[in-house]
Amino acid sequence: MNKRSNKRAKAPLGVNKSQPKRNRRSNAAKDWSLPRLLAGLHDDIQSRLETARKAFNHPGTKGDASEQVWLELFQTYLPLRYKAAKAHVVDSKGRFSEQIDVVIFDRQYSPFIFHFQGQAIVPAESVYAVFESKQSINAGEVAYAQQKVRSVRRLHRTSLPIPHAGGTFPPKTPSHIIGGLLTFESDWTPGMGSALINALDKDKTQGRLDLGCVAAHGVFGCDLKACGSVTPQSKPATAFLFELIARLQATATVPMIDVRAYAQCLTRE
């Protein structure tokens, strides 16, 4: 028969075996750092965008990889009521937007989303935000993003009265669709200076870029009065994500879509 050893197993470094296990877990929790966690989120996004920029030579492949980095960020961290995808947007009159790199739309109340040969088409009423994704920001890319945003905002959106236990609420006025541009780097020096502001200022209406991120430099945006709200950040991707979520919260819920208006398209062919 083997003799049992009377020697106690050595405790791991830094662990006092005389402490109850509950206290050890409590002490371990003290090592967590929210600033480090949030900084790590940004560092991961910036590193992946940089890899996409440097690892692929083909512009299309490079662009697809960058788009996927942003899409995965939104799909992971946005509340489940939202969905993010590359898509076209359509209205009940049969008009389509240009293809948008990132469409953030409702996944709870919108009754249908079309998929055809890998292409997603979402109804205009369900859209909360649209973003273009590019490798680097410059005047040309700002103008291009503004054009893409205009192609979505010009679409017609229906809104029906909302039934409830005591009657109906009046139709909700469709909310402003957030538009923006997401990049890794800036072609300007400084990256978030007056050249960016001047480019943003060229369209403050239908093509206005409300919010954007240059992962290597900072967060920028426009309000109803002017463009020029440029915020250099040490961890821009995380700051951008939080600001986007705050704006989505303020938007509340999309209007109740008139499905019959879309059904009328069946008689137009």
Side-chain angles (χ1 to χ4, degrees):
M1 179 180 293
N2 293 332
K3 293 182 178 180
R4 293 182 179 177
S5 173
N6 290 326
K7 293 182 179 180
R8 290 186 176 182
K10 290 184 178 180
L13 290 176
V15 175
N16 182 353
K17 288 202 71 178
S18 64
Q19 280 187 315
K21 289 184 178 180
R22 182 179 299 175
N23 288 344
R24 288 183 219 161
R25 289 195 295 267
S26 177
N27 289 340
K30 293 178 181 177
D31 294 334
W32 288 74
S33 167
L34 181 58
R36 283 201 299 268
L37 289 173
L38 298 181
L41 172 58
H42 163 80
D43 293 343
D44 177 56
I45 295 301
Q46 184 173 359
S47 174
R48 292 166 66 194
L49 289 171
E50 186 173 14
T51 298
R53 183 177 175 88
K54 294 180 178 179
F56 303 107
N57 291 324
H58 189 275
T61 304
K62 193 191 302 275
D64 289 344
S66 296
E67 290 167 16
Q68 194 59 35
V69 172
W70 291 107
L71 285 170
E72 288 179 3
L73 173 68
F74 298 141
Q75 291 162 355
T76 301
Y77 288 99
L78 289 182
L80 291 180
R81 64 182 293 184
Y82 306 107
K83 188 169 184 179
K86 184 171 187 172
H88 287 82
V89 183
V90 65
D91 66 15
S92 58
K93 298 181 182 297
R95 299 180 300 180
F96 288 80
S97 73
E98 297 184 34
Q99 188 176 61
I100 308 298
D101 291 336
V102 178
V103 179
I104 297 174
F105 56 95
D106 175 72
R107 68 185 301 173
Q108 185 171 355
Y109 297 108
S110 298
F112 62 89
I113 300 165
F114 297 110
H115 290 274
F116 179 75
Q117 298 296 305
Q119 300 295 316
I121 304 172
V122 302
E125 290 85 350
S126 73
V127 176
Y128 288 104
V130 292
F131 293 95
E132 277 301 290
S133 168
K134 298 298 177 185
Q135 295 298 308
S136 189
I137 194 169
N138 54 48
E141 299 295 12
V142 168
Y144 184 70
Q146 290 170 335
Q147 172 187 323
K148 290 294 193 80
V149 171
R150 280 195 298 272
S151 78
V152 175
R153 289 179 178 153
R154 70 178 177 83
L155 298 178
H156 177 69
R157 287 183 285 171
T158 63
S159 182
L160 290 177
I162 304 168
H164 61 90
T168 58
F169 292 121
K172 178 182 177 181
T173 301
S175 300
H176 174 71
I177 294 174
I178 299 168
L181 175 60
L182 309 169
T183 75
F184 165 63
E185 188 53 270
S186 173
D187 288 346
W188 289 305
T189 303
M192 305 288 286
S194 60
L196 171 59
I197 297 173
N198 291 338
L200 294 171
D201 269 336
K202 291 184 178 178
D203 191 337
K204 301 175 186 177
T205 54
Q206 281 292 85
R208 186 175 79 242
L209 302 186
D210 306 286
L211 182 65
C213 180
V214 183
H217 295 286
V219 178
F220 65 88
C222 303
D223 57 26
L224 294 174
K225 296 180 181 179
C227 298
S229 180
V230 180
T231 310
Q233 299 274 350
S234 59
K235 304 298 178 184
T238 307
F240 164 79
L241 177 63
F242 283 176
E243 178 61 23
L244 174 61
I245 292 173
R247 296 193 185 201
L248 290 173
Q249 288 175 329
T251 300
T253 304
V254 293
M256 184 172 174
I257 185 173
D258 184 357
V259 178
R260 289 191 178 97
Y262 281 85
Q264 290 175 8
C265 289
L266 297 173
T267 63
R268 297 174 191 163
E269 293 295 331

